[in-house]
């Protein structure tokens, strides 16, 4: 399993908490399989976990679910690009970019 594979599965899945459960599980697997990049996977794991905790027992509008899936995808793309470059500086900058974008967002997960 690679981060890119997980990203593609997430992108092609229906928006909803089940998709975030799978994302969370995939991140747990990647933490074990690729400990050198565990901080990336743990960040995404935390986002997915929070989304499930907040919304699994709530009805959300399809638009809300789609908007949040797009937001998560934007973060995943930033991180995937850095992982593919394979250098620590790119990864560090990508992590900071995602955290800063998240901090300036509505923080839905």
């Amino acid at each position: 399993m690679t981060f890119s594979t997980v990203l593609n599965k997430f992108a092609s899945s229906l928006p909803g908490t089940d998709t975030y459960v799978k994302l969370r599980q995939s991140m747990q697997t990647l933490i074990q399989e690729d400990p050198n990049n565990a901080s990336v996977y743990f960040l995404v794991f935390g986002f997915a976990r929070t989304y499930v905790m907040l919304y699994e027992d709530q009805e959300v509008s399809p638009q809300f679910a789609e908007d949040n899936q797009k937001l998560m995808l934007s973060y995943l793309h930033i991180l995937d690009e850095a992982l593919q470059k394979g250098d620590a500086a790119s990864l560090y900058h990508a992590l900071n970019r995602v955290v800063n974008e998240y901090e300036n967002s509505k923080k839905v997960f």
Side-chain angles (χ1 to χ4, degrees):
M1 172 186 313
T2 67
F3 192 83
S4 295
T5 303
V6 173
L7 185 158
N8 290 331
K9 282 184 185 178
F10 184 81
S12 65
S13 297
L14 294 173
T17 54
D18 289 346
T19 299
Y20 286 86
V21 167
K22 291 175 187 170
L23 179 62
R24 183 184 69 202
Q25 292 167 342
S26 295
M27 291 302 108
Q28 285 178 301
T29 300
L30 285 171
I31 288 169
Q32 297 299 314
E33 291 178 356
D34 182 17
N36 290 331
N37 293 306
S39 59
V40 172
Y41 310 136
F42 188 74
L43 178 65
V44 175
F45 170 89
F47 287 157
R49 180 176 167 262
T50 300
Y51 188 90
V52 171
M53 288 174 37
L54 291 173
Y55 305 111
E56 82 178 323
D57 293 333
Q58 291 186 22
E59 185 176 335
V60 297
S61 73
Q63 189 63 51
F64 179 84
E66 289 172 18
D67 289 347
N68 289 307
Q69 186 175 20
K70 287 177 187 173
L71 180 60
M72 178 63 82
L73 280 169
S74 72
Y75 297 158
L76 295 177
H77 283 292
I78 292 167
L79 296 169
D80 187 48
E81 182 179 319
L83 285 166
Q84 289 184 30
K85 287 182 181 177
D87 67 280
S90 294
L91 200 51
Y92 178 77
H93 290 295
L95 284 165
N96 280 332
R97 180 176 168 197
V98 169
V99 169
N100 284 316
E101 286 186 20
Y102 174 78
E103 280 299 311
N104 293 311
S105 75
K106 295 179 185 176
K107 297 183 184 87
V108 292
F109 42 75

